[in-house]
Amino acid sequence: MSLFSFGTPLDIDIVLQDTDERPTVDVKLDKNRREKAPLYLDGETVKGAVTIRPKDGKRLEHTGIKVQFVGTIEMFFDRGTHHEFLSLQTELASPGELQHPVTLPFAFKNVEKQYESYHGINVKLRYFMRVTVSRRMADVVREKDLWVYSYRQPPESNSVIKMDVGIEDCLHIEFEYSKSKYHLKDVIVGRIYFLLVRLKIRHMELSIIRRETTGVPPNQYNESETLVRFEIMDGSPSRGETIPIRLFLGGFDLTPTFRDVNKKFSTRYYLSLVLIDEDARRYFKQSEIVLYRQAPENNDLALQQAKETQQS
């Protein structure tokens, strides 16, 4: 913003190419605000055009115009500190004057976008275009966000999760999930087998918990949120009874599992089996699962990216 007026002396529009045909992602900015961002993949070219319009037809001197493609990790508990892991720059215009609208094309070819976009509790991984019109008094800056997905091939090995839970002489159950790694549209299939029941169980539920870890010790923050609560039994079971589990993941707001992204944050997922007895006491057992984003079958670019990721 200009030091001597309430507004900027020009308008800047950033238009990305093929936005009408490109898929978009509904991004949650905060509790009451969402916006749609165009979707890009790793290795995909990002191109478009910048239109600059001086206001009221006034002549405007500048010392250069540039566009940047930026990737940052922002920690909410350390506001003002942005860790840039990607910064590409192109000069759009050398120093000069503007009086009439001008449109300047740009292209960042085959950009490596090694991380997936993420907006969590304490951290945000963000990709955006930044246009800067440099001036002697105050620069004019505009930004436009885009979203990045990273696809993976299905894992070659995917072991069954099988565990026992017991309270001596009171409760002994065995639970099993058909696998430990799931794509984001997958179905969790399993069963719970009651070997011993001497507690009055009121009901049982299955939860999906996301645990986000940010920063490094001693300034490390851990936040957990329950994304799904799914009741799988109401009433007390009998010995020898089997309860089936079938939970569809496609309807929930899930991300892939992220491990030590740029040494700044991790996001892990857990299945939590919870039993509540008639005295409201809770008994639970958690198992970590791995989530990954599977390429859609009709997207050639996504499938190629997934194969290259698997090979690397």
Side-chain angles (χ1 to χ4, degrees):
M1 183 174 290
S2 172
L3 294 173
F4 300 104
S5 67
F6 292 102
T8 58
L10 52 85
D11 291 322
I12 302 174
D13 289 331
I14 306 171
V15 178
L16 297 171
Q17 194 175 68
D18 303 326
T19 51
D20 291 339
E21 294 80 22
R22 182 175 295 278
T24 59
V25 177
D26 190 26
V27 181
K28 183 179 180 181
L29 301 179
D30 52 43
K31 287 185 178 179
N32 302 314
R33 206 156 55 97
R34 304 182 78 94
E35 70 174 21
K36 291 190 179 297
L39 178 62
Y40 285 80
L41 304 181
D42 180 24
E44 193 175 359
T45 296
V46 180
K47 57 184 177 181
V50 177
T51 300
I52 301 172
R53 301 181 183 88
K55 292 182 178 177
D56 303 322
K58 294 181 179 179
R59 191 180 301 275
L60 178 76
E61 290 188 7
H62 65 87
T63 58
I65 302 171
K66 65 182 179 182
V67 60
Q68 296 168 280
F69 183 71
V70 183
T72 65
I73 296 176
E74 304 172 16
M75 301 292 189
F76 298 158
F77 58 81
D78 189 15
R79 292 189 181 277
T81 302
H82 296 177
H83 306 275
E84 285 194 4
F85 59 87
L86 174 65
S87 182
L88 304 174
Q89 179 174 306
T90 297
E91 298 293 332
L92 295 179
S94 54
E97 291 184 346
L98 289 174
Q99 187 174 7
H100 304 289
V102 59
T103 298
L104 306 168
F106 64 85
F108 295 96
K109 294 185 177 179
N110 305 323
V111 182
E112 180 185 0
K113 312 172 196 70
Q114 62 184 120
Y115 306 122
E116 178 162 322
S117 299
Y118 176 70
H119 195 159
I121 301 172
N122 281 325
V123 62
K124 176 165 64 176
L125 193 150
R126 178 182 174 222
Y127 292 91
F128 59 94
M129 311 302 304
R130 178 194 290 145
V131 174
T132 304
V133 179
S134 299
R135 303 172 63 225
R136 289 189 176 88
M137 292 177 60
D139 294 347
V140 182
V141 180
R142 290 290 181 275
E143 295 178 353
K144 185 177 182 65
D145 283 78
L146 52 91
W147 203 260
V148 172
Y149 276 172
S150 294
Y151 292 108
R152 298 288 184 268
Q153 287 281 78
E156 293 182 1
S157 61
N158 202 342
S159 58
V160 172
I161 297 176
K162 190 172 182 179
M163 300 182 73
D164 289 333
V165 179
I167 303 171
E168 189 173 357
D169 296 328
C170 291
L171 180 71
H172 185 194
I173 65 174
E174 181 182 277
F175 67 91
E176 179 181 302
Y177 306 116
S178 60
K179 52 189 178 180
S180 56
K181 300 172 184 176
Y182 300 87
H183 63 79
L184 299 184
K185 305 296 181 183
D186 216 335
V187 183
I188 295 175
V189 177
R191 69 174 186 90
I192 300 166
Y193 181 59
F194 290 86
L195 299 168
L196 175 65
V197 184
R198 289 179 180 168
L199 288 175
K200 293 292 185 180
I201 298 174
R202 185 193 302 167
H203 71 272
M204 181 166 54
E205 63 188 28
L206 183 67
S207 301
I208 299 179
I209 297 172
R210 177 161 58 209
R211 187 167 298 156
E212 181 185 278
T213 303
T214 52
V216 293
N219 299 315
Q220 191 172 71
Y221 296 82
N222 293 286
E223 292 279 357
S224 294
E225 58 179 328
T226 301
L227 304 177
V228 181
R229 259 197 191 91
F230 181 68
E231 187 173 288
I232 55 178
M233 187 191 71
D234 185 16
S236 190
S238 303
R239 179 179 178 179
E241 190 171 349
T242 299
I243 305 294
I245 296 173
R246 185 173 291 270
L247 179 60
F248 293 84
L249 299 178
F252 306 118
D253 186 18
L254 303 172
T255 72
T257 296
F258 299 128
R259 299 186 187 276
D260 202 22
V261 176
N262 200 236
K263 299 183 178 179
K264 297 293 186 297
F265 73 93
S266 297
T267 303
R268 297 171 184 255
Y269 287 88
Y270 297 85
L271 286 177
S272 180
L273 184 66
V274 182
L275 287 83
I276 298 95
D277 68 14
E278 289 188 341
D279 296 322
R281 289 176 297 197
R282 299 169 67 88
Y283 310 90
F284 67 91
K285 188 72 173 181
Q286 289 187 354
S287 306
E288 184 174 4
I289 58 173
V290 174
L291 301 182
Y292 63 95
R293 191 178 300 281
Q294 183 169 273
E297 294 182 2
N298 59 349
N299 191 322
D300 294 337
L301 181 59
L303 290 169
Q304 181 62 31
Q305 182 207 27
K307 290 178 182 177
E308 290 173 355
T309 303
Q310 187 80 357
Q311 290 170 358
S312 63

